[in-house]
Amino acid sequence: MLSAIDAAGLKDTLKGPGPFTVFAPTDEAFAKLPKGELDKLLKNKKKLSELLSYHVVSGAAVKAADIGATPTAKSVAGPELALTAADGTVKINDSATVVQADIAATNGVIHVIDTVLSLPKPGKAAKKKAD
């Protein structure tokens, strides 16, 4: 995650005043990406920055205990993240599990997750049914 943040040029942003909530994938999470995907991302600073920005919430330090009362959070990339907590397990977008929660940072909190979050495709947001 740290080398990807450097490659995306986000290091200075994340050193800002915050507060930030960062959902940081493990190295193993990045290794689960399809073969060659990480190399492609590291070569495309714009896409890498968008993907990593989807893992960050600005303006709030959301602790694991607050997730039940905070069902969604707007990512820096724009799309909302779905946050759920049940039976002591915190999940993001029903795909990533928090494996280490509430790591204090000087400008927020970090939650380590086991899966790299995928940015939703444009126009693929859930549509409300007409009555």
Side-chain angles (χ1 to χ4, degrees):
M1 177 78 173
L2 294 176
S3 57
I5 287 170
D6 283 341
L10 294 175
K11 192 174 186 179
D12 288 337
T13 300
L14 292 175
K15 283 185 174 181
F20 295 106
T21 300
V22 177
F23 297 101
T26 61
D27 289 343
E28 292 81 12
F30 279 103
K32 289 193 298 187
L33 289 173
K35 186 175 180 169
E37 185 67 23
L38 183 57
D39 289 334
K40 284 184 201 173
L41 286 167
L42 291 171
K43 292 176 184 172
N44 186 332
K45 186 176 177 178
K46 182 179 181 212
K47 282 198 180 280
L48 181 61
S49 179
E50 287 173 357
L51 177 68
L52 295 178
S53 294
Y54 186 55
H55 290 75
V56 179
V57 175
S58 181
V62 181
K63 303 243 179 179
D66 300 331
I67 288 186
T70 310
T72 62
K74 185 174 174 133
S75 72
V76 170
E80 296 273 328
L81 297 167
L83 312 175
T84 56
D87 301 322
T89 301
V90 175
K91 293 191 84 71
I92 313 304
N93 291 351
D94 289 328
S95 62
T97 301
V98 173
V99 294
Q100 189 175 1
D102 298 336
I103 300 168
T106 57
N107 61 354
V109 65
I110 300 167
H111 301 289
V112 179
I113 57 176
D114 67 354
T115 304
V116 176
L117 301 171
S118 298
L119 264 164
K121 303 240 185 275
K124 295 289 182 186
K127 295 179 182 174
K128 293 182 182 177
K129 292 182 179 180
D131 290 331

